[in-house]
Amino acid sequence: MKCLRWTVAAAAIWAAPAIADTTDARCDIYKAGTDSAEKMIPCTFSQRQGYVTINREDGITHDLEPVGKTPGNFRDQNGQAVYRQSGLGDQGLIFRFPNGSVYVYWSTAALQPADPENPTTPFTTEDYDATTLLPCREVSETEFRICPAGILRMEDNQASIVVQSPKGEQFTINFMTDYVNATNREAEAVLDGDLWTVTINGEEVYEVPLAAIEGG
């Protein structure tokens, strides 16, 4: 039985959008001291000359004014200190408030309602060569759930698979002839028989059958 292991950190193939005006986004709202989101809602994000405005669908607006010369330090319209963090990588930004946090994601795909006629939403065969549902889980979990994915196949049985993670983040796993990597993430990939097991950043596990990569 063939078993291969590769660990590769991919270069940034795509980056977060350059925010010059206003863009639609997704906001996950966390209360202070909790590690699960209270709610996930549409929002808009705008940035001009260092000033940031986050308009949330629940009627709350955060107007943030930069403070001092250290990037990421703000004061909101109520005079409270707010700190920006980059823990979401290319997926978005985190803003820490005294009473909680707002995670701003550039992708709004997770906000779309489930389509009973397309279980792989937001991926469709209009944009991809194929779509699929991949077994996925957090490293700390024992049971797999399913994550939708869109497959872009190439010659020589190569493919790029765009995955929507359990957190609603989208990223690409590239299955090339001599390596496996992921956009802006550490990827450790093991091929056992006809099944790839890919661990992302040591936190998430995805199972990808060769049939998904190579097609029928």
Side-chain angles (χ1 to χ4, degrees), residues 62-120:
H62 303 290
D63 288 316
L64 308 181
E65 174 186 357
V67 175
K69 296 183 179 180
T70 303
N73 291 334
F74 296 89
R75 183 184 299 111
D76 69 9
Q77 67 268 31
N78 299 315
Q80 300 182 109
V82 180
Y83 303 96
R84 182 188 66 213
Q85 296 180 346
S86 56
L88 299 180
D90 58 13
Q91 299 293 312
L93 296 168
I94 301 171
F95 292 87
R96 302 291 189 186
F97 294 80
N99 60 348
S101 301
V102 177
Y103 285 52
V104 180
Y105 288 92
W106 310 132
S107 173
T108 61
L111 295 169
Q112 303 303 316
D115 182 353
E117 296 183 2
N118 179 24
T120 61

Side-chain angles (χ1 to χ4, degrees), residues 17 53 112 139 143 196 212:
T53 298
Q112 303 303 316
V139 167
E143 299 294 328
W196 281 104

Side-chain angles (χ1 to χ4, degrees), residues 12-96:
I13 295 179
W14 62 274
I19 308 301
D21 194 1
T22 300
T23 187
D24 291 333
R26 175 189 122 207
C27 284
D28 289 9
I29 313 302
Y30 291 78
K31 289 184 177 179
T34 64
D35 57 5
S36 59
E38 176 186 19
K39 53 186 171 182
M40 177 194 302
I41 57 176
C43 60
T44 61
F45 178 91
S46 61
Q47 179 172 301
R48 296 178 183 84
Q49 298 180 340
Y51 290 79
V52 169
T53 298
I54 304 170
N55 282 308
R56 294 163 36 179
E57 189 185 58
D58 59 4
I60 295 176
T61 297
H62 303 290
D63 288 316
L64 308 181
E65 174 186 357
V67 175
K69 296 183 179 180
T70 303
N73 291 334
F74 296 89
R75 183 184 299 111
D76 69 9
Q77 67 268 31
N78 299 315
Q80 300 182 109
V82 180
Y83 303 96
R84 182 188 66 213
Q85 296 180 346
S86 56
L88 299 180
D90 58 13
Q91 299 293 312
L93 296 168
I94 301 171
F95 292 87
R96 302 291 189 186

Side-chain angles (χ1 to χ4, degrees), residues 104-137:
V104 180
Y105 288 92
W106 310 132
S107 173
T108 61
L111 295 169
Q112 303 303 316
D115 182 353
E117 296 183 2
N118 179 24
T120 61
T121 300
F123 305 106
T124 71
T125 53
E126 293 181 0
D127 302 311
Y128 296 88
D129 296 317
T131 62
T132 190
L133 294 170
L134 298 177
C136 59
R137 62 176 174 85

Side-chain angles (χ1 to χ4, degrees), residues 2-17:
K2 180 172 60 174
C3 184
L4 302 175
R5 180 183 295 271
W6 285 318
T7 302
V8 183
I13 295 179
W14 62 274

